[in-house]
Amino acid sequence: QVQLVESGGGLVQAGGSLRLSCAASGRTISSYAMGWFRQAPGKEREFVASIRRSGGNTFYSDSVKGRFTISRDNAKNTVYLQMNSLKPEDTAVYYCAASVSGYTYDDWGQGTQVTVSS
């Protein structure tokens, strides 16, 4: 099992930017594909972005494509989510997750709150 801790969330104005970090411990993230998910109030958890172990393949939901960028630094055992041009509808708790298979997710962080004001 890998332990994941998200950070970098907060309050930002519409059009602004935030960078979320996911720090891993207990295992090296080079063994995992990594993903970001989010859950807004009253809504189901949804996929945001994912990245393969090598970092060569990334995937995004349609709602964030072109605005968000997922990246990884295996030497620092950290995954990032750069969020630009933020919109109020991006407001949610953001979760980092690790995948052994690259298809389903096995370990999850505690989440970090992102709030985008109008």
Side-chain angles (χ1 to χ4, degrees), residues 4-69:
L4 305 173
V5 179
E6 302 94 333
S7 62
L11 176 64
V12 65
Q13 294 177 319
S17 298
L18 284 174
R19 189 177 76 158
L20 305 184
S21 297
C22 174
S25 61
R27 299 286 190 278
T28 173
I29 64 166
S30 64
S31 300
Y32 301 89
M34 303 295 295
W36 287 95
F37 294 76
R38 67 186 183 187
Q39 187 167 21
K43 303 191 74 174
E44 299 294 325
R45 184 177 298 180
E46 65 173 335
F47 169 79
V48 175
S50 64
I51 187 167
R52 295 291 187 182
R53 285 182 286 179
S54 68
N57 295 91
T58 57
F59 306 89
Y60 300 92
S61 68
D62 289 341
S63 62
V64 308
K65 189 175 183 180
R67 300 188 297 120
F68 291 10
T69 303

Coordinates of all heavy atoms in Angstrom, one line a residue, residues 4-69:
L4 N -1.0 8.4 0.4 CA -1.0 9.6 -0.5 C -1.6 10.8 0.3 O -2.6 10.7 1.0 CB -1.9 9.4 -1.7 CG -1.6 8.1 -2.5 CD1 -2.6 7.9 -3.6 CD2 -0.2 8.3 -3.2
V5 N -0.9 11.9 0.2 CA -1.4 13.2 0.9 C -1.4 14.3 -0.1 O -0.4 14.7 -0.7 CB -0.5 13.5 2.1 CG1 -0.9 14.8 2.7 CG2 -0.4 12.4 3.1
E6 N -2.6 14.8 -0.3 CA -2.8 16.0 -1.2 C -2.6 17.3 -0.5 O -2.9 17.4 0.7 CB -4.2 16.0 -1.8 CG -4.6 14.7 -2.6 CD -5.3 13.7 -1.7 OE1 -5.1 13.7 -0.5 OE2 -6.1 12.9 -2.3
S7 N -2.1 18.3 -1.2 CA -2.0 19.6 -0.7 C -2.1 20.6 -1.9 O -2.0 20.2 -3.0 CB -0.6 19.8 0.0 OG 0.5 19.6 -0.9
G8 N -2.2 21.9 -1.5 CA -2.2 22.9 -2.5 C -3.6 23.5 -2.8 O -3.7 24.5 -3.5
G9 N -4.7 22.9 -2.2 CA -6.0 23.4 -2.4 C -6.2 24.7 -1.7 O -5.4 25.2 -0.8
G10 N -7.3 25.4 -2.0 CA -7.6 26.7 -1.3 C -8.7 27.4 -2.1 O -9.4 26.9 -2.9
L11 N -8.8 28.7 -1.8 CA -9.8 29.6 -2.4 C -9.1 30.4 -3.5 O -8.0 31.0 -3.2 CB -10.4 30.5 -1.3 CG -11.4 31.6 -1.8 CD1 -12.6 30.9 -2.4 CD2 -11.7 32.5 -0.7
V12 N -9.7 30.4 -4.7 CA -9.1 31.2 -5.8 C -10.2 31.8 -6.6 O -11.4 31.3 -6.6 CB -8.3 30.2 -6.7 CG1 -9.1 29.2 -7.3 CG2 -7.5 31.0 -7.7
Q13 N -10.0 32.9 -7.2 CA -10.9 33.6 -8.0 C -11.0 32.9 -9.4 O -10.1 32.3 -9.9 CB -10.6 35.1 -8.2 CG -10.6 35.9 -6.9 CD -10.1 37.3 -7.2 OE1 -9.2 37.6 -7.9 NE2 -10.8 38.3 -6.6
A14 N -12.2 33.0 -10.0 CA -12.4 32.5 -11.3 C -11.4 33.1 -12.3 O -11.1 34.3 -12.2 CB -13.8 32.9 -11.8
G15 N -10.8 32.2 -13.1 CA -9.7 32.6 -14.0 C -8.3 32.5 -13.5 O -7.3 32.5 -14.2
G16 N -8.2 32.2 -12.2 CA -7.0 32.0 -11.5 C -6.4 30.6 -11.7 O -7.0 29.7 -12.4
S17 N -5.3 30.3 -11.0 CA -4.6 29.0 -11.1 C -4.3 28.5 -9.7 O -4.1 29.2 -8.8 CB -3.3 29.2 -11.9 OG -3.6 29.6 -13.2
L18 N -4.2 27.2 -9.6 CA -3.7 26.5 -8.5 C -2.9 25.3 -8.9 O -3.2 24.7 -10.0 CB -4.8 26.0 -7.6 CG -5.6 26.9 -6.7 CD1 -6.7 26.2 -6.0 CD2 -4.6 27.5 -5.6
R19 N -1.9 24.8 -8.2 CA -1.2 23.6 -8.4 C -1.4 22.7 -7.2 O -0.9 23.0 -6.1 CB 0.3 23.8 -8.7 CG 0.9 22.5 -9.2 CD 2.4 22.7 -9.5 NE 3.3 22.8 -8.3 CZ 4.6 22.5 -8.3 NH1 5.2 22.1 -9.5 NH2 5.3 22.6 -7.2
L20 N -2.0 21.5 -7.4 CA -2.2 20.5 -6.4 C -1.0 19.6 -6.4 O -0.5 19.3 -7.5 CB -3.4 19.8 -6.6 CG -4.7 20.6 -6.6 CD1 -5.9 19.6 -6.7 CD2 -4.9 21.5 -5.5
S21 N -0.6 19.1 -5.2 CA 0.5 18.1 -5.1 C 0.0 16.9 -4.4 O -0.9 17.0 -3.5 CB 1.7 18.7 -4.3 OG 2.3 19.8 -5.0
C22 N 0.5 15.8 -4.8 CA 0.2 14.5 -4.1 C 1.5 13.8 -3.7 O 2.2 13.3 -4.6 CB -0.6 13.6 -5.1 SG -1.0 12.0 -4.5
A23 N 1.8 13.9 -2.5 CA 3.0 13.3 -2.0 C 2.8 11.9 -1.5 O 1.9 11.6 -0.7 CB 3.6 14.1 -0.8
A24 N 3.6 10.9 -2.0 CA 3.4 9.5 -1.7 C 4.5 9.1 -0.7 O 5.6 9.6 -0.7 CB 3.5 8.7 -2.9
S25 N 4.2 8.1 0.1 CA 5.1 7.5 1.0 C 4.8 6.0 1.2 O 3.7 5.6 0.9 CB 5.1 8.2 2.4 OG 3.8 8.1 3.0
G26 N 5.7 5.2 1.6 CA 5.5 3.8 1.8 C 5.9 3.0 0.6 O 6.3 1.8 0.8
R27 N 5.7 3.5 -0.6 CA 6.1 2.9 -1.8 C 6.5 4.0 -2.8 O 6.2 5.2 -2.7 CB 4.9 2.2 -2.4 CG 4.3 1.0 -1.6 CD 5.3 -0.2 -1.6 NE 4.6 -1.4 -1.0 CZ 4.6 -1.6 0.3 NH1 5.1 -0.7 1.2 NH2 4.0 -2.7 0.7
T28 N 7.3 3.6 -3.8 CA 7.6 4.5 -4.9 C 6.5 4.6 -5.9 O 6.0 3.6 -6.3 CB 9.0 4.1 -5.5 OG1 9.2 5.0 -6.7 CG2 8.9 2.7 -6.0
I29 N 6.2 5.8 -6.3 CA 5.1 6.0 -7.3 C 5.5 5.5 -8.6 O 4.6 5.4 -9.5 CB 4.5 7.4 -7.3 CG1 5.6 8.4 -7.9 CG2 4.0 7.9 -6.0 CD1 5.1 9.7 -8.3
S30 N 6.7 5.2 -8.9 CA 7.1 4.6 -10.2 C 6.4 3.3 -10.4 O 6.4 2.8 -11.6 CB 8.6 4.5 -10.3 OG 9.1 3.5 -9.3
S31 N 5.9 2.7 -9.4 CA 5.2 1.4 -9.5 C 3.8 1.5 -9.9 O 3.1 0.5 -10.1 CB 5.3 0.6 -8.2 OG 6.7 0.3 -7.9
Y32 N 3.3 2.8 -9.9 CA 1.8 3.0 -10.1 C 1.6 4.0 -11.2 O 2.3 5.0 -11.5 CB 1.3 3.7 -8.8 CG 1.4 2.8 -7.6 CD1 2.6 3.0 -6.8 CD2 0.4 2.0 -7.2 CE1 2.7 2.2 -5.6 CE2 0.6 1.2 -6.0 CZ 1.7 1.3 -5.3 OH 1.8 0.6 -4.1
A33 N 0.4 3.8 -11.9 CA -0.2 4.8 -12.6 C -1.0 5.7 -11.6 O -1.4 5.2 -10.6 CB -1.2 4.3 -13.7
M34 N -1.1 7.0 -11.9 CA -1.7 7.9 -10.9 C -2.8 8.7 -11.5 O -2.8 8.9 -12.7 CB -0.6 8.9 -10.4 CG 0.6 8.2 -9.8 SD 0.3 7.3 -8.3 CE -0.3 8.6 -7.2
G35 N -3.8 9.0 -10.7 CA -4.9 9.8 -11.2 C -5.4 10.8 -10.2 O -5.1 10.8 -9.0
W36 N -6.1 11.8 -10.7 CA -6.8 12.8 -9.9 C -8.3 12.7 -10.2 O -8.8 12.5 -11.3 CB -6.4 14.2 -10.2 CG -5.0 14.6 -9.8 CD1 -3.9 14.5 -10.4 CD2 -4.7 15.1 -8.5 NE1 -2.8 14.9 -9.7 CE2 -3.3 15.3 -8.4 CE3 -5.5 15.4 -7.3 CZ2 -2.7 15.8 -7.3 CZ3 -4.8 15.9 -6.2 CH2 -3.4 16.1 -6.2
F37 N -9.1 12.7 -9.1 CA -10.6 12.7 -9.1 C -11.1 13.9 -8.3 O -10.3 14.5 -7.5 CB -11.1 11.4 -8.6 CG -10.8 10.2 -9.4 CD1 -9.5 9.6 -9.3 CD2 -11.7 9.6 -10.2 CE1 -9.2 8.5 -10.1 CE2 -11.4 8.5 -10.9 CZ -10.1 7.9 -10.9
R38 N -12.4 14.2 -8.5 CA -12.9 15.3 -7.7 C -14.4 15.0 -7.4 O -15.1 14.2 -8.1 CB -12.8 16.6 -8.4 CG -13.6 16.8 -9.7 CD -13.3 18.1 -10.3 NE -14.1 18.3 -11.5 CZ -14.0 19.3 -12.4 NH1 -13.0 20.2 -12.2 NH2 -14.8 19.4 -13.4
Q39 N -14.9 15.5 -6.3 CA -16.3 15.4 -5.9 C -16.8 16.7 -5.5 O -16.3 17.3 -4.5 CB -16.4 14.4 -4.8 CG -17.9 14.0 -4.5 CD -18.0 12.8 -3.6 OE1 -17.1 12.4 -2.9 NE2 -19.2 12.2 -3.7
A40 N -17.8 17.2 -6.2 CA -18.4 18.5 -5.9 C -19.6 18.2 -4.9 O -20.1 17.1 -4.9 CB -18.9 19.2 -7.2
P41 N -20.0 19.3 -4.2 CA -21.2 19.1 -3.3 C -22.4 18.6 -4.0 O -22.8 19.1 -5.1 CB -21.4 20.5 -2.8 CG -20.1 21.2 -2.8 CD -19.5 20.6 -4.1
G42 N -23.0 17.5 -3.5 CA -24.2 16.9 -4.1 C -24.0 16.2 -5.4 O -25.0 15.8 -6.0
K43 N -22.8 15.9 -5.8 CA -22.5 15.2 -7.0 C -21.6 14.0 -6.7 O -21.0 13.9 -5.7 CB -21.8 16.1 -8.0 CG -22.6 17.3 -8.4 CD -22.0 18.1 -9.5 CE -22.3 17.3 -10.8 NZ -21.9 18.1 -12.0
E44 N -21.6 13.0 -7.7 CA -20.7 11.9 -7.6 C -19.3 12.2 -7.9 O -19.0 13.2 -8.5 CB -21.2 10.8 -8.5 CG -22.6 10.3 -8.3 CD -22.8 9.6 -7.0 OE1 -21.8 8.9 -6.6 OE2 -23.8 9.7 -6.3
R45 N -18.4 11.4 -7.3 CA -17.0 11.5 -7.6 C -16.7 11.3 -9.1 O -17.3 10.4 -9.7 CB -16.2 10.6 -6.8 CG -14.7 10.7 -7.0 CD -13.9 9.8 -6.1 NE -14.2 10.0 -4.7 CZ -13.6 9.3 -3.7 NH1 -12.8 8.3 -3.9 NH2 -13.9 9.6 -2.4
E46 N -15.9 12.2 -9.7 CA -15.7 12.0 -11.2 C -14.2 12.1 -11.5 O -13.4 12.6 -10.7 CB -16.4 13.2 -11.9 CG -15.8 14.6 -11.6 CD -16.4 15.6 -12.5 OE1 -16.8 15.3 -13.7 OE2 -16.4 16.8 -12.1
F47 N -13.8 11.4 -12.6 CA -12.5 11.4 -13.0 C -12.0 12.7 -13.6 O -12.8 13.4 -14.2 CB -12.4 10.3 -14.2 CG -11.1 10.4 -14.9 CD1 -9.9 9.8 -14.4 CD2 -11.0 11.0 -16.2 CE1 -8.7 9.9 -15.1 CE2 -9.8 11.0 -16.9 CZ -8.7 10.5 -16.3
V48 N -10.8 13.1 -13.3 CA -10.3 14.4 -13.8 C -9.1 14.2 -14.7 O -9.1 14.6 -15.9 CB -9.8 15.3 -12.6 CG1 -9.1 16.5 -13.1 CG2 -11.0 15.6 -11.7
A49 N -8.1 13.4 -14.3 CA -6.9 13.2 -15.1 C -6.1 12.0 -14.6 O -6.2 11.6 -13.4 CB -6.0 14.4 -15.0
S50 N -5.3 11.4 -15.5 CA -4.5 10.3 -15.1 C -3.2 10.3 -15.9 O -3.1 10.9 -16.9 CB -5.2 8.9 -15.3 OG -5.5 8.7 -16.7
I51 N -2.2 9.6 -15.4 CA -0.9 9.6 -16.0 C -0.3 8.2 -15.8 O -0.4 7.6 -14.8 CB 0.0 10.7 -15.5 CG1 1.3 10.8 -16.2 CG2 0.3 10.5 -14.0 CD1 2.1 12.0 -15.9
R52 N 0.4 7.6 -16.9 CA 1.0 6.3 -16.8 C 2.3 6.4 -16.0 O 2.8 7.5 -15.7 CB 1.3 5.8 -18.2 CG 0.1 5.5 -19.1 CD -0.7 4.3 -18.5 NE -1.8 3.9 -19.4 CZ -2.6 2.9 -19.2 NH1 -2.5 2.2 -18.0 NH2 -3.6 2.6 -20.0
R53 N 2.8 5.3 -15.6 CA 4.0 5.2 -14.8 C 5.2 5.9 -15.4 O 5.9 6.6 -14.6 CB 4.4 3.7 -14.5 CG 3.5 3.0 -13.5 CD 3.9 1.6 -13.3 NE 3.6 0.7 -14.4 CZ 4.0 -0.5 -14.4 NH1 4.6 -1.1 -13.4 NH2 3.6 -1.3 -15.5
S54 N 5.3 5.9 -16.7 CA 6.4 6.6 -17.4 C 6.2 8.1 -17.5 O 7.1 8.8 -17.8 CB 6.7 5.9 -18.7 OG 5.6 6.2 -19.6
G55 N 5.0 8.5 -17.4 CA 4.6 9.9 -17.6 C 4.4 10.2 -19.1 O 4.1 11.3 -19.5
G56 N 4.5 9.2 -20.0 CA 4.3 9.4 -21.4 C 2.9 9.5 -21.9 O 2.7 10.0 -23.0
N57 N 1.9 9.0 -21.1 CA 0.5 9.0 -21.5 C -0.3 9.7 -20.5 O -0.3 9.3 -19.3 CB 0.0 7.6 -21.8 CG 0.7 7.0 -22.9 OD1 1.7 6.3 -22.8 ND2 0.2 7.1 -24.2
T58 N -1.0 10.7 -20.9 CA -1.9 11.4 -20.0 C -3.3 11.4 -20.5 O -3.5 11.4 -21.8 CB -1.5 12.8 -19.7 OG1 -1.4 13.5 -21.0 CG2 -0.1 12.8 -19.0
F59 N -4.3 11.5 -19.6 CA -5.7 11.5 -20.0 C -6.5 12.5 -19.2 O -6.2 12.7 -18.0 CB -6.3 10.1 -19.8 CG -5.5 9.0 -20.5 CD1 -4.5 8.3 -19.9 CD2 -5.9 8.6 -21.8 CE1 -3.8 7.4 -20.5 CE2 -5.1 7.6 -22.5 CZ -4.1 7.0 -21.8
Y60 N -7.5 13.1 -19.8 CA -8.2 14.2 -19.1 C -9.7 14.0 -19.4 O -10.1 13.6 -20.5 CB -7.8 15.5 -19.6 CG -6.3 15.8 -19.3 CD1 -5.4 15.6 -20.3 CD2 -5.9 16.4 -18.1 CE1 -4.0 15.8 -20.0 CE2 -4.6 16.6 -17.8 CZ -3.6 16.3 -18.8 OH -2.3 16.6 -18.5
S61 N -10.5 14.4 -18.5 CA -12.0 14.6 -18.7 C -12.2 15.7 -19.7 O -11.4 16.7 -19.7 CB -12.7 14.7 -17.4 OG -12.5 16.0 -16.8
D62 N -13.3 15.7 -20.4 CA -13.6 16.8 -21.3 C -13.7 18.1 -20.6 O -13.4 19.2 -21.2 CB -14.9 16.5 -22.1 CG -14.7 15.3 -23.1 OD1 -13.6 15.0 -23.5 OD2 -15.7 14.8 -23.5
S63 N -14.2 18.1 -19.4 CA -14.5 19.4 -18.7 C -13.2 20.1 -18.3 O -13.3 21.3 -18.1 CB -15.3 19.1 -17.4 OG -14.6 18.2 -16.5
V64 N -12.1 19.4 -18.2 CA -10.8 20.1 -17.8 C -9.8 20.1 -18.9 O -8.7 20.8 -18.7 CB -10.3 19.4 -16.5 CG1 -11.3 19.4 -15.4 CG2 -9.7 18.1 -16.8
K65 N -10.0 19.4 -20.0 CA -9.0 19.3 -21.0 C -8.6 20.7 -21.6 O -9.5 21.5 -21.9 CB -9.5 18.4 -22.2 CG -8.4 18.1 -23.2 CD -8.9 17.1 -24.2 CE -7.8 16.7 -25.2 NZ -8.3 15.7 -26.2
G66 N -7.4 21.0 -21.7 CA -6.9 22.2 -22.2 C -6.7 23.2 -21.0 O -6.0 24.3 -21.3
R67 N -7.2 23.0 -19.8 CA -7.0 23.8 -18.7 C -6.1 23.2 -17.6 O -5.4 23.9 -16.9 CB -8.3 24.2 -18.1 CG -9.2 25.0 -19.1 CD -10.5 25.5 -18.4 NE -11.3 24.4 -17.8 CZ -11.6 24.3 -16.5 NH1 -11.1 25.1 -15.6 NH2 -12.4 23.3 -16.2
F68 N -6.2 21.9 -17.4 CA -5.5 21.2 -16.4 C -4.4 20.4 -17.0 O -4.5 19.8 -18.1 CB -6.4 20.3 -15.6 CG -7.4 20.9 -14.7 CD1 -7.7 22.3 -14.8 CD2 -8.2 20.2 -13.8 CE1 -8.6 22.9 -14.0 CE2 -9.1 20.8 -13.0 CZ -9.4 22.1 -13.1
T69 N -3.3 20.2 -16.2 CA -2.2 19.3 -16.7 C -1.7 18.5 -15.5 O -1.4 19.0 -14.4 CB -1.0 20.2 -17.1 OG1 -1.4 21.0 -18.2 CG2 0.1 19.3 -17.6

